[in-house]
Amino acid sequence: MQAHDGMYIDGAWRAATGPDLIEVVNPVDEQVIAHVPAGAVEDVDAAVRAARAALPAWAATAPAERAARLTALRDVLVARKDEIAETVTAELGSPLPFSQSVQVGLPILVAGSYAELAAAHPFQEEVGNSVIHHEPVGVVGAITPWNYPLHQIVAKVAPALAAGCTVVLKPAEDTPLTAQLFAEAVHEAGVPAGVFNLVTGLGPVAGQALAGHEGVDLVSFTGSTAVGRRIGATAGAAVKKVALELGGKSANVILPSADLAKAVNVGVANVMSNSGQTCSAWTRMLVHRDQYDEAVALAAAAAEKYGDRIGPVVNARQQARVRGYIEKGVAEGARLVAGGPDCPRERGWFVRPTVFADVTPEMTIAQEEIFGPVLSVLRYEDEEDALRIANGTVYGLAGAVWAGDDAEAVAFARKLETGQVDINGGRFNPRAPFGGYKQSGVGRELGAHGLAEYLQTKSLQFQER
């Protein structure tokens, strides 16, 4: 597979400053498919300097022109969607239909939504005798994960460009080829030189350099809570704005009045999607004690159907991590009803779709983010107990509530300490704000709330207005 041997900086591909390379490996067959440069501190510095130099002109560009560039970017992504989907599949292992519909289809929608927002957003408003200006925050350091490589890039870069910011992107080292294709699309869309820059590299080197660079005004990071804490501390030392989208341990609460079979089947599908590598996955299924045994049987049967339908996890380290959690669940007394820690194939980083029953709230598998195709089914006594269990983790990213009618589900959902709740199987909305409570992050992505993260506010007062 073709890969650029340099960084995209100031509108052109240029050689990296060092000789180190990163292997890109296909998780399905463990074969090396490409190499990309491992960026050094000097590469990050060059990219940030290019972004700072481009900032004044881009910030002064009319919103309509920024919208036009984002529309052009969306159109390029549409034209190259098959190539991008095949690349995501090759470096992440995501089945091709899922790559086409979600991994590429969703970010195309998001890019289009920000083209519309850039044209329509009220960057200036009047309040009494004041004129309020919403101005770009400056240079954005975007650090993205591997699980939804294009979506996470677009969810940061598109609103930043719409706001008038310039960007330096450091993508995950497991999925850099998708980021390189995105850089090509930005170039083809006519985005001015320096407005978007790409540095591939390792988190402890390139990522840390970007987060701590004095020329970066905002760090937008998606990834683990542990790394988010370090980035937050680095940014905080410089009183730098951060947007952090971190881990989750979301609850799927099935109230007694719900359609049990539908709620369980959709819940299992949610956990198995993207091989469980989704921060907002409903990895805890909460069921009333009177329906518990039936729900466990339904969940086990549903999970078994995914054995040959999900792809691998991203790398050997992640496979070992997920298998370790499954072993820990067994050791702590949870009951395996589907799957298990054994490898389902001789080659590739696959994990068996796994369901645990008899899980108690204090167990490790009910408290920590596993990031694999593992579901824990917990029983509750009444709604008060369900709420206690659902809110009983350090996370608060997403969740679901099922009930006989929407009003009953909404009444329960309003009590959940989480940023987004699906009501009776509600569809994902790419224009609605996405982000979490507690240790699931700071700030929001997507829609107008996502755009606001990249703006700062200036108030001009007059004698009369």
Side-chain angles (χ1 to χ4, degrees), residues 141-156:
I143 303 174
T144 57
W146 43 261
N147 59 327
Y148 291 90
L150 182 63
H151 170 64
Q152 297 291 354
I153 290 170
V154 171
K156 297 183 187 305

Side-chain angles (χ1 to χ4, degrees), residues 396-420:
L397 185 56
V401 180
W402 300 79
D405 59 68
D406 286 355
E408 182 186 359
V410 167
F412 189 93
R414 291 296 303 273
K415 303 173 188 176
L416 291 174
E417 298 169 353
T418 191
Q420 191 170 75

